[in-house]
Amino acid sequence: MCWQEMETGVGQIPERARAVIIGGGVSGCSVAYHLAKAGWTDIVLLERKQLTSGTTWHAAGLIGQLRGSANMTRLAKYSADLYVKLAAETGVETGMRQVGSISVALTRERHEELLRQATVARIFDVEVHEISPAEVKARYPHLNVSDVVGAVALPLDGQCDPANIAMALAKGARMRGAQIFEHTKVTGVTKVAGRVTGVDYIGAEGEPGHIAADVVVNCGGMWGRDLAEQSGVTLPLHACEHFYLITEPVEGLGHLPVLRVPDECAYYKSDAGKMMIGAFEPKAKPWGMGGIREDFMFDTLPEDWDHFQPILEHAMNRMPLFETAGIHTFFNGPESFTPDDRYYLGEAPEVAGYWIAAGYNSVGIAGSGGAGMALAHWITEGEAPFDLWEVDIRRAQPFQRNRKYLRERVTETLGLLYADHFPYRQVETSRGVRRTPLHAHLKARGAVFGEVAGWERANWFANEGQEREYRYSWKRQNWFGNQRAEHLAVRNGVGLFDMSSFGKIRVEGRDACAFLNRVCANQIDVATGRIVYTQMLNRKGGIESDLTVTRLSETAFLLVVPGATLQRDLAWLRRHLGEDFAVITDVTAGEAVLCLMGPKARDVMRAVSPADFSNAGHPFGTAREIEVGMGLARAHRVTYVGELGWELYVSADQAAHVFEAVEEAGAEHGLKLCGIHTLDSCRIEKAYRHFGHDITDEDHVLEAGLGFAVKTGKGDFIGRDAVLAKQEAGLSRRMVQFRLTDPEPLMFHNEAVVRDGKIVGPVTSGNYGHFLGGAVGLGYVPCKGESEADVLASRYEIEIAGVRHAAVASLVPMHDPKSERVKG
Ligand SMILES: Cc1cc2nc3c(=O)[nH]c(=O)nc-3n(C[C@H](O)[C@H](O)[C@H](O)COP(=O)(O)OP(=O)(O)OC[C@H]3O[C@@H](n4cnc5c(N)ncnc54)[C@H](O)[C@@H]3O)c2cc1C
């Protein structure tokens, strides 16, 4: 059956539905398909024009399975598997063929990246082969391989007809009862008391209407941002022009795998005897800044040969047939891009019942199958099927709604998809939006900044006269020596970090304590001034948040969370507040945080403040107000680097003064300014977990090795039953710390943990242990029915870019295992 013949919009638009899906591109069709498959048959999809008429109809149709992490790969693989079966299920031909794909490297650095990706593929069970330039030539006779350094092939990657994939999903949804109405534009999402109540629309005849619904899903593609904005929902995306070119038929082309030449920003695909080349140029053209024309439907954008020329020139050398083949189509169409090149899924923190699946960064066809499945699961079951933090809408920052910011950033993110994905790579556009009160001070002292959640953070400090730029590499980068000096200062002397980007949340009110004790696993009902390290768990015992809670008074608490998770944590707290009487306030910008860490931290504190910093006067895990210089601070005796130290929370207006006072007092003790890279290398030696990498909502708190922070005896809390159940059943896997015995290789994350010769999982995070003398990483090891001794009795290696390196394993932190230094 031809997709254009499919019936849509027959019958009356209902006045009520369980869910309304806005947008009939591949995303909306997939969400509808999966909701219907999950048994939600009373659902309606509204499309302002015709199905697929936005971005979906003109996609190139590449279906790759390999992504940067286990769960993203799981979703992409799910899509590929689904699309293979969809035609038989729905009768709509999808054109899906598993032609395989090849990625070639033209530089050693890129080759290293490809080999690292191949290791990732092996961890996630995606079939992959490393192939030589000669093998590439054998599979792609038209290709010039004279400068190809190496390549990898994924035989089960595919290509498809994108519009028909969407139509098949729509058909599958309708077969299960979903209703689809075209030429019906949603004009607004209605809400009452922060919860969705339905949508207003204008129908095909111009008639206004309303559908009452508890669940609304914004699948509006590049229209999604403005639609969300109307409801006060943050959905930061912006369209860019996206190009490909198709030749006239080329004789004897045959069936070729999809080919990616990322070093030339290009991909190639053969279809129906023609050759296609698509571009991921380094500087893209944003589109639709002034809004999108009302009658936009199956539109194309104007050709821009000048813009495409550099890509085409490379193509003529790479595949000389482009010199002679005539041009059949020059295509330019808009697609949504996001500030971090990852799409958005999940419930908007601002409005309950407002869900999102949008912003696909040119992988919406490959991504939507899995994304639709995951979102439907999330909506119907109330929780995500597995950790989706990478694409979670709660990572979006409110300021990212700003269109100038978005417009500038997406010029870069499109091209980044094919750029070298070096570790620690920083974005270059739209910088400087969020600065700490100490930014200028740090800059003047050599700080080289990186960006997280819009925050400019000092990542490392350049020496006098040293270039203040990153020189990226898969090997030691130009700041390795700076990190080493900072790291050793923290271990042997004293270092000062600006951690003002920490998220800070005040929870106050009559029920604040009871509320926090319900959402946190540790005992929060402690004496005023005590600091509690804890996790917020979900019902499965997975970790939703990793934080400290400081009791400021009988009824007031300060929660400190990573800057990147603040919106997520606020949303989790607000969602679980229920009838408890407590006020939750984001106070992040009000206080700067200076972390003074190292064995000499006490000496510096004594020099800058008259307070008592002895163990008796200021014990570990407590906070109190102190005088610093001529100002005041709240000193928290905690650490994330595994040393004696204090975190100074300073009112933003006094931050610069306190910084100067500490700096001056620290001079005679060798105080060194330190960056985030050093924070990370120190914390990994101490095996402190990092949320989003080592611990996620999928990782059980006991398996993460954080049982010491769980108090099942305190009474009920979210996740308690799952903790008790796991205690009863025993652990299935355990977090283990690894150190490479060879001091040379580096671990970042996603290297493979190899146990007795067999890959058992990824390294969840890694950095260089300058004090321990080698790369250090964390990772989970399966251990069903095994004792700790059994786990440690194995032989461990870490596979990096295909090479296996011997590793030492430990279940206790390799640095300061008894926390003697921390409590010193
Ligand atoms: C040149 C090019 C090549 C590409 N190649 C590939 C590829 O090879 N592989 C791949 O995976 N991806 C590819 N993509 C990306 C892919 O096409 C998109 O990611 C995907 O189509 C996005 O789907 P969507 O449903 O989110 O958006 P859309 O298809 O744009 O759907 C959104 C729909 O919402 C409707 N809508 C908006 N507002 C409203 C409203 N208020 N009421 C009702 N309806 C509304 C719109 O009319 C539209 O139909 C490519 C994109 C381009 C431009």
Side-chain angles (χ1 to χ4, degrees):
M1 172 182 161
C2 168
W3 64 267
Q4 286 92 343
E5 291 163 16
M6 199 173 75
E7 245 185 329
T8 55
V10 177
Q12 279 288 314
I13 299 181
E15 289 178 359
R16 153 154 284 288
R18 197 162 185 193
V20 175
I21 297 144
I22 309 169
V26 67
S27 178
C29 293
S30 179
V31 171
Y33 172 87
H34 286 96
L35 276 178
K37 210 168 178 178
W40 280 35
T41 49
D42 175 18
I43 57 174
V44 174
L45 185 153
L46 302 180
E47 163 55 46
R48 54 181 270 286
K49 297 290 181 193
Q50 280 176 242
L51 293 184
T52 77
S53 65
T55 295
T56 297
W57 70 279
H58 55 57
L62 273 50
I63 305 295
Q65 309 164 82
L66 186 57
R67 295 274 168 263
S69 70
N71 288 343
M72 291 303 106
T73 302
R74 221 155 133 183
L75 292 184
K77 254 182 100 174
Y78 174 92
S79 297
D81 294 347
L82 172 69
Y83 297 167
V84 168
K85 296 181 289 204
L86 212 48
E89 183 190 324
T90 61
V92 180
E93 276 311 322
T94 58
M96 178 68 186
R97 286 184 296 130
Q98 286 174 303
V99 294
S101 78
I102 297 176
S103 296
V104 302
L106 304 181
T107 66
R108 296 214 168 279
E109 299 283 35
R110 180 74 71 172
H111 194 217
E112 166 97 14
E113 180 177 333
L114 291 184
L115 295 179
R116 281 179 174 262
Q117 274 175 0
T119 291
V120 174
R122 277 191 282 276
I123 303 172
F124 306 147
D125 236 6
V126 173
E127 189 181 342
V128 63
H129 306 284
E130 287 143 35
I131 57 176
S132 66
E135 287 169 295
V136 175
K137 183 79 184 168
R139 293 180 201 197
Y140 237 103
H142 311 275
L143 204 69
N144 169 3
V145 296
S146 58
D147 53 350
V148 170
V149 178
V152 296
L154 286 94
L156 297 181
D157 274 2
Q159 64 185 52
C160 68
D161 175 349
N164 281 3
I165 291 281
M167 296 311 280
L169 290 165
K171 173 97 183 287
R174 283 172 52 83
M175 284 160 59
R176 292 176 172 85
Q179 290 178 278
I180 297 176
F181 296 91
E182 295 186 304
H183 300 288
T184 306
K185 179 182 172 180
V186 172
T187 51
V189 176
T190 56
K191 55 179 181 171
V192 169
R195 168 156 262 301
V196 153
T197 54
V199 300
D200 292 330
Y201 65 82
I202 297 182
E205 308 298 324
E207 75 290 1
H210 178 79
I211 306 176
D214 297 332
V215 167
V216 170
V217 192
N218 180 340
C219 298
M222 62 188 173
W223 291 264
R225 179 203 166 278
D226 291 355
L227 190 65
E229 171 113 326
Q230 287 178 19
S231 305
V233 166
T234 302
L235 178 53
L237 54 82
H238 198 299
C240 276
E241 300 184 26
H242 198 22
F243 302 87
Y244 59 69
L245 181 150
I246 303 174
T247 65
E248 294 291 357
V250 177
E251 208 161 315
L253 200 57
H255 289 301
L256 295 168
V258 166
L259 174 77
R260 292 186 181 83
V261 189
D263 294 311
E264 292 174 347
C265 313
Y267 63 87
Y268 298 83
K269 179 186 115 167
S270 72
D271 206 0
K274 300 173 192 145
M275 201 69 208
M276 171 193 273
I277 172 176
F280 282 92
E281 66 279 17
K283 190 158 172 48
K285 292 173 71 183
W287 182 82
M289 288 84 97
I292 300 167
R293 254 191 12 251
E294 187 57 34
D295 60 355
F296 187 100
M297 176 169 77
F298 297 118
D299 275 27
T300 62
L301 305 180
E303 294 174 352
D304 186 343
W305 285 101
D306 288 347
H307 191 73
F308 200 74
Q309 191 61 26
I311 309 288
L312 195 56
E313 271 168 23
H314 282 304
M316 288 179 189
N317 167 54
R318 188 63 47 210
M319 222 180 281
L321 66 84
F322 276 93
E323 282 178 322
T324 50
I327 306 295
H328 178 275
T329 311
F330 182 105
F331 187 84
N332 178 10
E335 159 70 338
S336 310
F337 289 86
T338 65
D340 59 4
D341 265 335
R342 289 183 264 132
Y343 54 84
Y344 296 115
L345 278 190
E347 190 178 19
E350 300 92 341
V351 184
Y354 194 117
W355 295 79
I356 288 164
Y360 280 98
N361 300 288
S362 87
V363 293
I365 311 301
S368 281
M373 176 277 288
L375 195 75
H377 184 285
W378 208 339
I379 293 172
T380 56
E381 303 290 322
E383 53 198 20
F386 38 76
D387 167 42
L388 293 172
W389 177 230
E390 275 172 80
V391 289
D392 195 318
I393 183 63
R394 292 172 296 175
R395 78 186 187 282
Q397 303 297 318
F399 87 87
Q400 291 177 317
R401 287 210 290 262
N402 181 294
R403 275 171 286 195
K404 186 164 192 279
Y405 162 86
L406 287 171
R407 188 166 67 234
E408 195 180 320
R409 174 58 64 81
V410 297
T411 61
E412 181 182 10
T413 52
L414 181 147
L416 282 180
L417 289 162
Y418 272 38
D420 288 274
H421 299 115
F422 288 122
Y424 307 106
R425 182 164 186 144
Q426 302 296 323
V427 285
E428 289 171 6
T429 51
S430 298
R431 293 289 300 268
V433 183
R434 302 176 85 187
R435 302 180 205 183
T436 79
L438 301 170
H439 185 87
H441 281 71
L442 303 185
K443 194 171 176 188
R445 289 155 179 80
V448 182
F449 294 92
E451 188 247 56
V452 165
W455 281 108
E456 293 293 330
R457 308 191 308 176
N459 275 352
W460 56 282
F461 286 83
N463 299 324
E464 197 72 30
Q466 185 183 358
E467 180 189 37
R468 292 187 183 192
E469 292 286 334
Y470 276 88
R471 292 282 157 213
Y472 298 118
S473 159
W474 289 98
K475 306 274 183 273
R476 296 174 180 199
Q477 299 186 5
N478 59 328
W479 48 269
F480 188 82
N482 304 69
Q483 182 192 32
R484 179 182 160 77
E486 293 172 20
H487 188 117
L488 295 181
V490 172
R491 291 282 180 254
N492 300 323
V494 58
L496 184 63
F497 301 83
D498 174 14
M499 291 307 299
S500 306
S501 62
F502 274 153
K504 301 161 210 107
I505 305 168
R506 246 181 118 102
V507 179
E508 302 178 64
R510 187 190 63 211
D511 301 332
C513 184
F515 165 54
L516 289 173
N517 244 343
R518 186 160 55 77
V519 290
C520 295
N522 209 337
Q523 175 59 270
I524 304 301
D525 192 2
V526 293
T528 296
R530 281 281 307 281
I531 305 168
V532 180
Y533 172 59
T534 186
Q535 285 74 38
M536 295 197 257
L537 306 181
N538 55 34
R539 284 182 302 143
K540 294 182 192 159
I543 299 167
E544 292 286 342
S545 173
D546 187 53
L547 69 161
T548 59
V549 179
T550 302
R551 189 165 201 165
L552 301 174
S553 74
E554 188 59 22
T555 53
F557 296 81
L558 180 78
L559 281 51
V560 178
V561 300
T565 67
L566 174 66
Q567 302 304 325
R568 173 191 178 121
D569 298 325
L570 284 167
W572 184 264
L573 289 166
R574 289 184 175 135
R575 190 169 136 198
H576 289 91
L577 184 59
E579 296 302 307
D580 280 337
F581 187 87
V583 178
I584 300 162
T585 316
D586 170 14
V587 294
T588 300
E591 284 186 333
V593 185
L594 285 169
C595 302
L596 191 69
M597 296 286 149
K600 293 187 184 161
R602 185 174 277 131
D603 301 335
V604 178
M605 289 306 296
R606 283 179 174 151
V608 78
S609 169
D612 179 1
F613 295 101
S614 66
N615 277 335
H618 196 160
F620 185 76
T622 62
R624 68 205 173 105
E625 190 179 273
I626 59 165
E627 296 172 34
V628 185
M630 292 180 289
L632 291 179
R634 204 178 49 256
H636 292 219
R637 177 125 183 243
V638 282
T639 179
Y640 190 54
V641 295
E643 294 297 337
L644 172 72
W646 282 265
E647 291 181 354
L648 303 181
Y649 288 72
V650 189
S651 170
D653 53 334
Q654 294 166 46
H657 168 71
V658 168
F659 173 85
E660 288 160 10
V662 171
E663 186 182 43
E664 194 184 327
E668 66 177 278
H669 301 283
L671 178 74
K672 191 157 182 61
L673 288 176
C674 300
I676 300 288
H677 292 333
T678 295
L679 189 87
D680 193 57
S681 60
C682 287
R683 72 93 198 164
I684 204 152
E685 286 189 326
K686 179 73 172 134
Y688 287 145
R689 278 56 166 158
H690 186 256
F691 185 86
H693 280 110
D694 311 313
I695 48 178
T696 69
D697 52 17
E698 196 182 331
D699 300 313
H700 195 285
V701 67
L702 297 188
E703 294 178 342
L706 298 174
F708 67 89
V710 179
K711 300 288 182 301
T712 50
K714 73 172 181 172
D716 203 16
F717 59 89
I718 300 168
R720 181 172 180 270
D721 291 347
V723 170
L724 295 175
K726 184 65 76 180
Q727 279 171 347
E728 184 73 24
L731 307 186
S732 309
R733 55 190 204 136
R734 255 177 207 289
M735 173 129 280
V736 179
Q737 187 187 25
F738 302 98
R739 179 179 58 79
L740 300 184
T741 51
D742 177 353
E744 191 58 31
L746 302 180
M747 280 192 268
F748 307 114
H749 81 286
N750 269 350
E751 295 81 7
V753 176
V754 184
R755 182 180 185 185
D756 295 325
K758 191 168 162 287
I759 291 179
V760 293
V763 168
T764 50
S765 70
N767 205 318
Y768 199 83
H770 292 279
F771 197 60
L772 293 174
V776 180
L778 298 173
Y780 288 94
V781 171
C783 65
K784 189 86 198 143
E786 292 183 78
S787 68
E788 292 190 3
D790 293 337
V791 172
L792 293 178
S794 287
R795 181 175 58 89
Y796 289 95
E797 294 159 296
I798 304 293
E799 180 179 311
I800 305 172
V803 181
R804 294 185 175 185
H805 304 269
V808 182
S810 178
L811 291 171
V812 293
M814 293 180 188
H815 173 70
D816 194 22
K818 298 199 173 121
S819 291
E820 287 154 345
R821 294 169 69 106
V822 167
K823 299 197 171 145

